[in-house]
Amino acid sequence: MAGSNCTPVTEFSLTGFTEDLVTQFTLFLMFLLIYLLTILGNLGMIALIRASPLLHSPMYYFLGNLAFVDLCSSTIIIPKMLANFLLEEKGIGYAGCMAQVFIYDLFGMTECFLLAMMAYDRYMAICHPLVYPLVMSPKSCLQLVTGSYLVGLTNGVGQTIGMSSLSFCSSNVLNLFFCDISPLISLSTSDTTLSHLILRTSASLFGMSSCLVVLASYVAIISAILSIRSAEGKRKAFSTCTSHLTTVSIFYGTALFMYLKPSSDSSRADKWVVVLYTVVTPMLNPLIYSLRNKEVKEALRRLAKPKCSR
């Protein structure tokens, strides 16, 4: 426990990436471009899904929610990071730090389960096409998405409660560009057993369970695809999963590496691993789905055609 003469920390200092002014400005421009592409890409995906009847299917319903989650999780991190590139004092208040923990953990875990639901959707479409319309009905999809948000909310509340019980007295320097749980726990001067338990339990229970859904779905999908006799049939079946597989590989791979690795194994490269799944992945998701999905390309063509013909 912290001593009785402990002066509580009211602000945390975020170290960012470098102290070199030229490099900071270069990184500012790079992350600003990434954020603008993230906003345009995800808002564009949401608008396209809502406007095009061609995309009114379970897969794109999940994708629209994924775009919304990516937009929210990026907005809680990147604007503050951009501001810190331009400010001499790179700090964030205690309340703002806890808000980042809550909102990012809410949407981060929601994304895990949305990706799992999208894998389940592909499993039903490829392995059980006859009952697919019944199982993946609008009501079922709404329930799956609602459940994903509720799990994310549970995770966010649990992690924030764990953080709020900690005392911060000695140091307020976070070796990261936003308030994340692991570095915050490392800074605490109080007993962190409960916080570590909540973090590991959440990552193992929620993160691994959603990961298992993805793995089980794709084991069944690959088995079904291999049983298809024609090469063209195999190619068409697998092409419906490639976009999702790409997104899953980046998100789950980096996130699980960061949250399940031993806390003592920390390196400078960890920051760039965090950048990959907190900043880059939300930008890539709409690009991956728009470039690889024929339905998205066709929907764009149909929406653009009337305007071009005028």
Side-chain angles (χ1 to χ4, degrees):
M1 296 295 289
S4 58
N5 60 346
C6 169
T7 302
V9 168
T10 58
E11 185 177 80
F12 293 98
S13 177
L14 304 172
T15 60
F17 298 91
T18 178
E19 294 297 324
D20 182 72
L21 293 179
V22 175
T23 306
Q24 282 193 40
F25 184 68
T26 303
L27 289 174
F28 170 81
L29 293 178
M30 181 182 76
F31 286 121
L32 176 61
L33 177 61
I34 288 174
Y35 186 50
L36 291 176
L37 290 174
T38 300
I39 293 174
L40 291 174
N42 286 290
L43 281 179
M45 184 62 71
I46 293 170
L48 181 63
I49 291 171
R50 290 180 64 88
S52 174
L54 187 65
L55 303 181
H56 291 175
S57 65
M59 184 174 82
Y60 293 104
Y61 176 66
F62 291 126
L63 181 57
N65 280 276
L66 182 67
F68 171 73
V69 166
D70 281 338
L71 196 60
C72 293
S73 60
S74 296
T75 300
I76 195 61
I77 292 175
I78 301 181
K80 180 60 179 174
M81 180 174 66
L82 292 173
N84 284 343
F85 278 123
L86 304 177
L87 298 174
E88 186 175 348
E89 295 294 330
K90 307 178 191 306
I92 182 172
Y94 180 84
C97 193
M98 292 301 106
Q100 274 196 341
V101 169
F102 170 70
I103 297 175
Y104 184 74
D105 278 28
L106 188 162
F107 288 113
M109 192 57 70
T110 300
E111 180 157 357
C112 282
F113 275 81
L114 283 175
L115 290 172
M117 296 306 102
M118 292 172 76
Y120 178 71
D121 171 74
R122 292 299 82 205
Y123 160 74
M124 291 302 304
I126 293 173
C127 299
H128 303 285
L130 296 180
V131 297
Y132 177 79
L134 179 63
V135 176
M136 302 304 294
S137 65
K139 181 180 179 181
S140 297
C141 291
L142 176 61
Q143 291 173 341
L144 290 173
V145 167
T146 302
S148 298
Y149 282 107
L150 288 177
V151 172
L153 180 62
T154 301
N155 181 61
V157 170
Q159 300 292 0
T160 307
I161 290 174
M163 288 294 99
S164 63
S165 65
L166 299 179
S167 299
F168 301 92
C169 302
S170 57
S171 174
N172 69 334
V173 179
L174 283 171
N175 188 29
L176 202 60
F177 53 90
F178 76 108
C179 288
D180 197 18
I181 298 173
S182 294
L184 280 170
I185 293 176
S186 301
L187 281 184
S188 177
T189 53
S190 58
D191 184 7
T192 60
T193 303
L194 177 61
S195 297
H196 274 297
L197 180 62
I198 293 175
L199 175 61
R200 300 298 183 190
T201 301
S202 176
S204 301
L205 180 62
F206 294 145
M208 292 304 295
S209 63
S210 60
C211 189
L212 286 173
V213 171
V214 174
L215 287 174
S217 297
Y218 274 105
V219 167
I221 288 170
I222 292 171
S223 177
I225 290 175
L226 291 176
S227 66
I228 299 174
R229 294 184 178 181
S230 69
E232 181 65 17
K234 290 180 179 179
R235 187 191 65 78
K236 286 184 178 180
F238 190 73
S239 67
T240 65
C241 305
T242 51
S243 299
H244 182 257
L245 268 175
T246 304
T247 301
V248 163
S249 300
I250 298 173
F251 182 83
Y252 277 98
T254 53
L256 290 176
F257 167 77
M258 286 302 299
Y259 285 105
L260 293 181
K261 72 180 182 66
S263 57
S264 59
D265 294 348
S266 180
S267 69
R268 188 179 183 85
D270 286 353
K271 284 186 182 180
W272 294 103
V273 176
V274 175
V275 166
L276 187 60
Y277 74 86
T278 59
V279 177
V280 178
T281 300
M283 176 197 69
L284 289 178
N285 285 345
L287 293 176
I288 291 170
Y289 278 94
S290 60
L291 292 175
R292 296 195 63 90
N293 282 45
K294 292 181 179 179
E295 293 91 345
V296 173
K297 294 178 183 178
E298 181 62 26
L300 284 169
R301 267 195 295 267
R302 290 187 182 183
L303 288 177
K305 192 174 181 180
K307 295 181 181 179
C308 295
S309 61
R310 289 178 184 176

